[in-house]
Amino acid sequence: MRIAILGATGLVGQEMIKTLEDRNFPVTEFIPLASSKSAGRVVEFRGSQFEVKEVSQDVFEGVEIALFSAGADASKKWAPIAVSNGAVVIDNSSAWRMDPEVPLVVPEVNPQDIRQHRGIIANPNCATIQALVALAPLHRRFRLEYFSAVTFQSVSGTGKEALAELDDSISSILKGNTFEPHVYPLPIGFNVLPHIGDIDETGVSEEEWKMLNESRKILHHHRLQVSCTTVRVPVRRGHSEAIVAQFEDQVTLEEAYALLSDASGVVVMSENKYITPLQAAESDFVYVGRLRYDMGLPRALSMWVVSDNLRKGAALNAVQIAELLVSDLGALK
Amino acid sequence: MRIAILGATGLVGQEMIKTLEDRNFPVTEFIPLASSKSAGRVVEFRGSQFEVKEVSQDVFEGVEIALFSAGADASKKWAPIAVSNGAVVIDNSSAWRMDPEVPLVVPEVNPQDIRQHRGIIANPNCATIQALVALAPLHRRFRLEYFSAVTFQSVSGTGKEALAELDDSISSILKGNTFEPHVYPLPIGFNVLPHIGDIDETGVSEEEWKMLNESRKILHHHRLQVSCTTVRVPVRRGHSEAIVAQFEDQVTLEEAYALLSDASGVVVMSENKYITPLQAAESDFVYVGRLRYDMGLPRALSMWVVSDNLRKGAALNAVQIAELLVSDLGALK
């Protein structure tokens, strides 16, 4: 396959390259792309060096699959051009996710939806992906009615500059100095920020709307109710989520364990164990820990869900979608 | 008043001393106490130095109010002895909180309960105090039916050694080294740990049970339902809580703002603003931010509640109870 990666020098782009290597994806041609700012830099793929080309009208010619991770504005602009050149775009930004003509896919949850694509397939938001990988196997059996998710999201979700700002803010505060942030509105070191994306006039942040709207779309479940607060924490890599899931049917812990043990992409921890983001970094799995009957709601389970936001939350999910396309060539139109 | 402080060298004990100074508490005699381990050390109070005495049978003689913050085992042992010597004990440990003969008091919420005391008054858990200072004004008007709380609890809640471990773990990880923790089961630097107190066979942690059981007791509301996940985060001081509160009556945001604006000890932030723990450190207030209609539940509000766990979560609440005793001498029996 001739594969282009737009945003090849970013955190997710780099992770996409690594994931293509790790999973031995059938790449015959590798075309790293970026905006003019990063064009000319060199990236490595399978031991060879490639110069990053500037994205342009004709660079997508002959490309079969284009993995995009360059932000919503770049996706809005370049995805239609890539598609008109014959590529299928797997887009990691929020640009196309809620477009009714664009499938929004978590391969473990709704792989069949990729067949509806018209050139663009959207990768869901990192926080949504890991929640649904954990919830979908339970939803299929017990029918999810409501869930609440409070997230502990790592700084790598914001990008490279944010990672540098995390270390800088921590170093400043350790020395007893104050710290003037540039990426976040407030220092992230030794702090937590309940603010991911803009907060609208209803008081809900963009990241919180994504949890609701993307979950409904991916599960094809438009009556699903969701409470959500999304919070940035001083962790480098790996998102954690405290989830309470309430079902229409009576759920049992025994059956939930069994379903999650069999579920693809999930590791369920027994006996009150859990995984922390420091442990989940660079893992492909969604870890479900502290699975228990919820104290407060009937027909409900509580759980602690951790996954690497750059892997399953972004690059891996995108590459898995590409693998579905390859294994089901009809879907490549 | 002749005031003793048991645990005078600990983080909370030190904060109690500072709070007595700041609030100009009428102290005629100041008696700092500790276990044999810390006895002999010197603490300062109002510019004078005091040697910390070892706690013993007769050290409570003549003491009117004893503030305890030396852990549950010390409280179990010494509180009855202090009481038999005529002192009223205000205990910050978990030892007596759920004893039906011991009032569990947040002065803004249930001040009248101190009149029931038989010598011991318990200070609630830090995470419970700030949740209830925010929820009680709304409960009085709309009748709280259910709340969920996911906590982001700072390391100072564990004590001095944990604060040192936070800095050490961060320094190690910044240098690229691994870190062997001693206080926590896993490194706390660049990580989050969903584990505060032991997790029992139902999968619920001690800290989570406290949120449920203490809330019911303080509000005298035994049908109250609570979902809770308590999480330690790499923050030095200040607990944050993402709370969803569902009421029996139809709640309006306008009235909730008005009630919280008038509520004692609360600062409610308007227009989607919020306070982070780094900003709330060393403040006396409970900050309610991001107040909004909940996305998922009817008759429900979401909010972000932050307070300094050493102040309102511990020392200040205890000193406020002492102030109630002083202003209402009948309660000093």
Side-chain angles (χ1 to χ4, degrees), chain B residues 11 23 29 50 57 65 78-79 84 99 103 139 163 170 172 196 211 228 236-237 240-242 248 251 260 279 290:
Chain B
L11 280 182
R23 296 175 73 91
E29 200 175 335
F50 293 81
Q57 289 279 350
I65 296 177
W78 296 109
S84 71
D99 186 318
H139 169 56
L163 277 174
I170 281 177
S172 289
I196 304 185
M211 187 68 85
C228 188
R236 285 171 172 172
R237 192 168 169 155
S240 310
E241 302 181 1
E248 289 178 23
V251 63
L260 290 170
Q279 298 164 296
R290 294 204 61 203

Side-chain angles (χ1 to χ4, degrees), chain B residues 103-171:
Chain B
L104 182 65
V105 176
V106 180
E108 292 85 348
V109 180
N110 60 334
Q112 71 288 352
D113 285 351
I114 68 161
R115 293 203 147 236
Q116 311 302 319
H117 85 81
R118 301 183 183 193
I120 303 174
I121 300 169
N123 215 34
N125 190 40
C126 45
T128 309
I129 291 175
Q130 70 183 68
L132 293 191
V133 168
L135 291 174
L138 304 173
H139 169 56
R140 281 182 211 114
R141 168 66 185 82
F142 303 111
R143 194 84 190 152
L144 191 62
E145 187 170 24
Y146 164 77
F147 75 90
S148 75
V150 175
T151 70
F152 298 67
Q153 294 184 229
S154 75
V155 164
S156 58
T158 315
K160 278 180 187 172
E161 287 177 23
L163 277 174
E165 182 163 299
L166 170 63
D167 284 8
D168 291 348
S169 68
I170 281 177
S171 299

